[in-house]
Structures are given as C-alpha cells and as structure tokens.
C-alpha cells in the first residue's frame, strides 16, 4: 500500500513497541501459512479474501489493515495480485487457473501495531517464466534484508536489489517502495528498491522498523493504474512478482518480524 503522504519523521521503536510488532508480524506470517492450501485451481481471489478476513478477525482477534484504507477506500481485507498485476490487486470473482502466479499481501493490525508481509503462490503447475521470476524476486528481497544494520545507508538496500534483478535481465518497479511501519500502516522512511544517491543521506539505526518489498518485472519496469485507482499492472502485460517482509534494525544487524517457519533456512536459497 502506498496511497498516503507519509510523515517524514523516522520513529525509533521502544522495547514495548518492538514486542507488539513481533506479535503483529507473527500473525501476518501465520495468515500466509494458513491460506496456502486454499490457493488452487477454480478458487476465486474473493474467496481467498474471505477466508483470510475471517481468520484474522475471528481466530487472531485482529484487524485486516487494508480494509477501507486510503482514498478511495480499499474494498477488501487482502491484496491479491495476479500475473501481470504489480501490486494492490483487488480480490474479485476471477477463478484461479493452473499456471497462475499470485501474490497475496497481508497486513494485520493487533493491539495498535501492524505486521506487513507478502508471498508469491503458484497455482497448479507453475510456468517456467513465473517460477524463475518469483525465485529471483525473493532473492532480491533477501539480499536487500542482508544490507540492514545500524550505520548503513538506506541506499545499500536498493543497490543490492537492483543489482540482482538486472543481473537476471529483470527490471525494478520504481513507483512503489517499502516503508516505515508501526502504529501507522505507512511511516517514514521510504525504502527504495533501486539505488538513489538521496537514499544514502539517511542511515539505519537500531529500533527502526520498515518493510522491504521489491516488485520485479519480467519486461519493462513501467506500469499503469487501473480505473479502480488501486490496481497497478505492467504496461507491457508481462509478469510481475513481489515478496515482502517487515524488518527490525537490531544492535547486531536485523530481525525479520514476519519470517515464516518454511523460511528457517532462507540463507541457503541465495
């Protein structure tokens, strides 16, 4: 989500706030773990939305942050971005088919704090192109996360992501970025997924929490926004992929607050 003007003040979270962010992050990760078995041929993205909504509200006793967020109000509880949709796809009555690549983006609000994460899913037998793009995009996210440490400039994150994407002949979406997160859905700073000298002017500090969520395109980086004023799609209709984690800067480096159990050995994928 990237629809509101953000306060430029970067907040350093207290120990209590970090503890609440860990809870919210774990809940968001749990939603992605839960919904995986439901992503299959013939299911609609609106059905996936309803399952996630009910789980967040009834099981987790939390709030799906995207619902009614922004202008115009986002009408659903999750984002479902299919194939050439870059981000902010609105769940609907379209049935999934074999070969589809689907990003599900979850943001949970619990006790006043947000956990934000997304994952790529493949329906049935994935296409070679879809599987490769998804894999490289996930690596881009991890490589960006590895740059997180106190004293490091934020530009290092975008530099690592852009280098890896370009090395595989993919492009990086520039219109959307990661963001600070806490009691507000979107806070400063903006986390660019490409290199900009301006990003080197600010350094990371322990206690900062933000998302890293690269959107990587198979074709050109350019996108357009559909008339619903939310859904972003690639202009050339080629595939796009995205992965996202919420990350805490620690005294020693970083902690991924939305890490799923299946990612226990994530460094081995690099």
């Amino acid at each position: 989500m990237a629809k509101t003007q953000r306060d430029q003040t970067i907040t350093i979270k207290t120990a209590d706030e970090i503890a609440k962010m860990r809870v919210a992050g774990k809940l968001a990760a749990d939603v992605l773990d839960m919904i995986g078995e439901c992503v299959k041929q013939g299911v609609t993205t609106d059905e996936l939305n309803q399952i996630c909504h009910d789980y967040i509200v009834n099981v987790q006793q939390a709030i799906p942050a995207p619902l009614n967020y922004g202008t115009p109000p986002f009408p659903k509880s999750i984002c479902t971005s299919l194939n050439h949709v870059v981000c902010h796809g609105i769940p609907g009555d379209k049935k999934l088919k074999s070969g589809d690549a689907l990003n599900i983006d979850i943001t949970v609000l619990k006790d006043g704090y947000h956990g934000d994460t997304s994952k790529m899913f493949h329906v049935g037998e994935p296409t070679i192109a879809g599987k490769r793009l998804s894999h490289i995009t996930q690596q881009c996210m991890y490589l960006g996360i590895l740059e997180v440490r106190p004293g490091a400039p934020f530009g290092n994150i975008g530099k690592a992501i852009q280098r890896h994407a370009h090395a595989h002949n993919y492009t990086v979406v520039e219109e959307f970025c990661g963001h600070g997160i806490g009691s507000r859905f979107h806070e400063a700073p903006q986390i660019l997924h490409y290199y900009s000298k301006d990003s080197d002017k600010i350094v990371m500090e322990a206690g900062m929490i933000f998302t890293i969520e690269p959107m990587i395109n198979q074709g050109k980086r350019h996108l357009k926004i559909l008339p619903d004023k939310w859904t972003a799609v690639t202009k050339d209709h080629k595939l796009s992929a995205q992965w996202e984690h919420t990350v805490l800067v620690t005294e020693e480096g970083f902690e991924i607050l939305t890490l799923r159990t299946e990612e226990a050995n994530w460094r081995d994928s690099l």
Side-chain angles (χ1 to χ4, degrees):
M1 294 262 167
K3 298 286 277 197
T4 58
Q5 185 65 38
R6 299 160 187 158
D7 189 325
Q8 292 306 300
T9 303
I10 303 175
T11 62
I12 304 298
K13 270 60 177 182
T14 65
D16 182 62
E17 288 177 312
I18 291 170
K20 290 180 178 178
M21 291 291 289
R22 284 195 180 102
V23 172
K26 176 66 164 57
L27 292 177
D30 287 348
V31 178
L32 287 179
D33 281 338
M34 177 277 301
I35 199 61
E37 65 182 16
C38 303
V39 179
K40 53 191 175 184
Q41 193 169 347
V43 174
T44 69
T45 50
D46 198 35
E47 288 171 332
L48 296 177
N49 174 78
Q50 192 61 53
I51 294 167
C52 289
H53 176 93
D54 292 344
Y55 185 79
I56 293 167
V57 172
N58 299 326
V59 177
Q60 297 184 332
Q61 300 288 296
I63 298 169
L67 185 60
N68 295 320
Y69 179 84
T71 307
F74 192 79
K76 299 291 181 177
S77 296
I78 66 173
C79 297
T80 52
S81 300
L82 191 64
N83 298 327
H84 73 291
V85 178
V86 175
C87 61
H88 301 163
I90 299 174
D93 59 6
K94 186 179 180 64
K95 291 184 177 181
L96 299 176
K97 63 183 186 301
S98 183
D100 279 342
L102 174 69
N103 176 273
I104 297 181
D105 194 339
I106 303 293
T107 307
V108 169
L109 175 62
K110 180 73 171 180
D111 294 333
Y113 287 84
H114 295 81
D116 192 1
T117 186
S118 82
K119 173 184 174 178
M120 294 299 297
F121 294 88
H122 297 280
V123 182
E125 184 65 28
T127 64
I128 293 173
K131 189 174 182 179
R132 181 175 183 269
L133 177 62
S134 176
H135 176 64
I136 297 302
T137 303
Q138 186 179 31
Q139 288 186 326
C140 283
M141 176 190 66
Y142 288 145
L143 289 168
I145 291 172
L146 284 172
E147 295 298 327
V148 176
R149 63 183 65 87
F154 278 98
N156 288 4
I157 296 172
K159 189 182 297 182
I161 291 169
Q162 186 175 51
R163 182 189 302 120
H164 194 62
H166 287 183
H168 291 85
N169 297 313
Y170 294 139
T171 58
V172 181
V173 171
E174 298 184 6
E175 289 84 350
F176 295 97
C177 58
H179 53 88
I181 188 169
S183 60
R184 290 173 295 165
F185 196 160
H186 295 96
E187 303 177 352
Q190 294 188 354
I191 310 299
L192 303 184
H193 302 122
Y194 59 95
Y195 179 66
S196 167
K197 287 184 179 179
D198 288 342
S199 296
D200 283 341
K201 296 176 182 177
I202 308 172
V203 299
M204 302 174 219
E205 297 179 37
M208 290 181 176
I209 299 179
F210 46 82
T211 68
I212 296 178
E213 47 182 300
M215 286 143 275
I216 307 298
N217 290 352
Q218 177 189 30
K220 296 181 179 179
R221 72 168 183 84
H222 307 289
L223 57 80
K224 63 180 180 180
I225 307 297
L226 297 188
D228 62 32
K229 297 186 178 178
W230 278 106
T231 308
V233 300
T234 57
K235 269 192 176 180
D236 58 14
H237 275 239
K238 291 190 176 181
L239 294 174
S240 186
Q242 180 185 23
W243 294 78
E244 176 182 14
H245 272 313
T246 298
V247 182
L248 164 69
V249 185
T250 66
E251 295 291 348
E252 298 78 26
F254 63 86
E255 178 184 341
I256 303 175
L257 301 182
T258 46
L259 196 70
R260 298 181 305 282
T261 303
E262 67 181 3
E263 295 177 283
N265 300 314
W266 63 268
R267 294 171 189 266
D268 294 343
S269 69
L270 298 174

